[in-house]
Amino acid sequence: MTATSPSASSPSPGAHEQARNQTTDPRAAQLARIYVLLRLALTMTVVVMLIWVVGDVLMVIFASTLVAVILHNLAGIVERRARIPYWLALTTVVSVLIAALTGLIWSSGPEISEQAVKLRTALSTQAHSLRDSMGHSSTGRMILDNLPASLGGNQPSSGGGGFGSLAGSMTGFVSSAFGAAGTLAVILIAGLYFAISPELYVNGMLRLVPHEYRKGSRDLLLTAGRTLWAWTAGQALDMTVVGLLSFIGLWCIGVPLALALGVVAGLANFIPYIGAFVGAIPAVLIALSQGTREGFMVMGLYTAIQFFEGNVMAPLIQRHAVQMPPGLTILSQTIFGTILGVPGLILASPLTAALLATADRAIPKLKDDERV
């Protein structure tokens, strides 16, 4: 039997010294840090470019995921309470939702549709009157000259070019070929399929993750799902209360189209903070057409509703749901709204809530001596 030489079985002292020098060499350490920074910058650039180019598609995917989370959790509640299989619970939930929507359209659809048409006509009339009155003053003309044409001003809208046109050509099928109704149908159908077998899609995503990171990625996905459900449930309750209070208050004041305005206020409240102003503007304009007194009463009504929502409803909801800093919420709405337009503005809050929850789970918490 041939003996193995020491030089073949163990590395030479020179090799150990060379490896130690490479490890402790300041220049090598600096190059390693530069490599990490370049890789991080490249990754962030690719992510930003992906969002810029296919942002509409990503918003559709996220909206479908949000629908799937809602259906999955509602079916889970029915499954636990009624002790029936998941597929039967999901079928029950979908059937009840379709029946409720059909009943609402059958009973109140004509009235809501008629009020919506009247509301649009009244708002258009009020907008033209406001623009004419602003045109008779120097301050009003200055405001109109700096407002874009899409908001009723005189500033021409800039045509999209470069990457904007590229994004429109690649993802414009969502808005041009299908339209809003088609996009909504895609979201609902995709969300239903996601909810039928969520484990199929989640496991498929986890297979794309390296083996050593799969357990952590699974925890982050589950955390994001629970956060989206908590945010949606809390926001649905908040929207319902705001919508009912707005309808009752407007009806008591005697403002026309109270039902449609209440629906608008409730739906607009899906967007925190900004939605409150968006929902109040139509009601104030309609009330001002009735008189200055009615306009101030509606302003007071919406101020009282938002005070109640912000100081009573929101703390109760956040105690059991998701607590998001107001500054970060508004900043995320600005960023996503600027990059992705109206869909980004609408979905900014649930997306930010999911990102905050996953970041809180993934990043170690500060120690006591590290806090400000």
Side-chain angles (χ1 to χ4, degrees):
M1 182 171 62
T2 304
T4 305
S5 62
S7 60
S9 59
S10 61
S12 62
H16 280 296
E17 187 68 24
Q18 185 178 5
R20 188 181 301 111
N21 291 336
Q22 291 178 352
T23 304
T24 59
D25 186 9
R27 186 175 181 182
Q30 185 178 8
L31 290 175
R33 288 194 295 269
I34 294 175
Y35 170 74
V36 172
L37 291 176
L38 289 176
R39 187 173 62 179
L40 179 61
L42 180 61
T43 302
M44 294 181 64
T45 302
V46 172
V47 170
V48 171
M49 291 293 295
L50 183 65
I51 294 175
W52 183 269
V53 175
V54 293
D56 291 342
V57 178
L58 293 177
M59 286 295 99
V60 171
I61 295 175
F62 179 74
S64 302
T65 304
L66 188 61
V67 172
V69 169
I70 296 172
L71 294 177
H72 175 71
N73 282 275
L74 289 176
I77 295 174
V78 175
E79 180 186 14
R80 291 189 298 269
R81 297 290 178 86
R83 296 181 180 179
I84 56 178
Y86 175 78
W87 67 268
L88 183 57
L90 181 61
T91 303
T92 303
V93 169
V94 174
S95 301
V96 170
L97 291 177
I98 293 176
L101 182 61
T102 304
L104 178 64
I105 294 175
W106 183 268
S107 60
S108 303
E111 181 181 358
I112 295 177
S113 177
E114 181 182 358
Q115 290 204 10
V117 172
K118 292 181 179 179
L119 176 62
R120 180 178 179 180
T121 304
L123 288 177
S124 178
T125 303
Q126 290 301 313
H128 285 297
S129 301
L130 179 61
R131 192 178 188 280
D132 293 338
S133 62
M134 292 177 65
H136 289 89
S137 64
S138 58
T139 304
R141 286 193 298 270
M142 182 184 66
I143 295 175
L144 291 175
D145 290 338
N146 289 276
L147 276 180
S150 58
L151 296 178
N154 300 326
Q155 187 73 23
S157 300
S158 58
F163 286 110
S165 60
L166 176 64
S169 62
M170 295 187 66
T171 63
F173 71 93
V174 174
S175 57
S176 60
F178 293 101
T183 304
L184 181 61
V186 169
I187 292 173
L188 295 177
I189 294 173
L192 178 60
Y193 278 113
F194 290 166
I196 290 175
S197 53
E199 67 281 351
L200 174 66
Y201 302 96
V202 175
N203 292 335
M205 292 178 59
L206 291 176
R207 291 184 62 182
L208 302 176
V209 179
H211 180 73
E212 59 270 20
Y213 300 111
R214 286 180 180 174
K215 188 176 184 302
S217 300
R218 175 182 176 274
D219 293 339
L220 293 181
L221 287 175
L222 293 177
T223 300
R226 288 192 295 266
T227 303
L228 286 177
W229 166 245
W231 186 91
T232 306
Q235 202 64 20
L237 177 61
D238 192 79
M239 291 166 59
T240 303
V241 172
V242 170
L244 285 175
L245 291 178
S246 301
F247 164 66
I248 295 173
L250 293 173
W251 180 78
C252 293
I253 294 175
V255 177
L257 311 175
L259 178 59
L261 292 172
V263 172
V264 169
L267 293 177
N269 217 59
F270 183 83
I271 308 174
Y273 305 110
I274 297 178
F277 296 98
V278 174
I281 289 174
V284 173
L285 290 177
I286 297 299
L288 286 175
S289 66
Q290 304 296 311
T292 306
R293 176 174 171 272
E294 285 77 5
F296 280 109
M297 290 179 66
V298 170
M299 290 181 189
L301 169 67
Y302 275 83
T303 301
I305 292 175
Q306 292 305 318
F307 180 83
F308 172 78
E309 187 269 340
N311 293 276
V312 179
M313 288 294 301
L316 291 176
I317 292 173
Q318 290 177 354
R319 186 182 303 174
H320 303 283
V322 179
Q323 187 171 5
M324 291 177 56
L328 185 59
T329 302
I330 297 176
L331 183 62
S332 67
Q333 292 171 350
T334 304
I335 294 174
F336 286 110
T338 302
I339 298 175
L340 302 172
V342 176
L345 177 64
I346 294 174
L347 298 175
S349 295
L351 182 58
T352 304
L355 292 176
L356 281 178
T358 53
D360 183 68
R361 183 65 180 265
I363 300 175
K365 298 184 181 299
L366 292 175
K367 298 179 181 178
D368 292 337
D369 57 348
E370 297 174 339
R371 297 181 179 273
V372 177

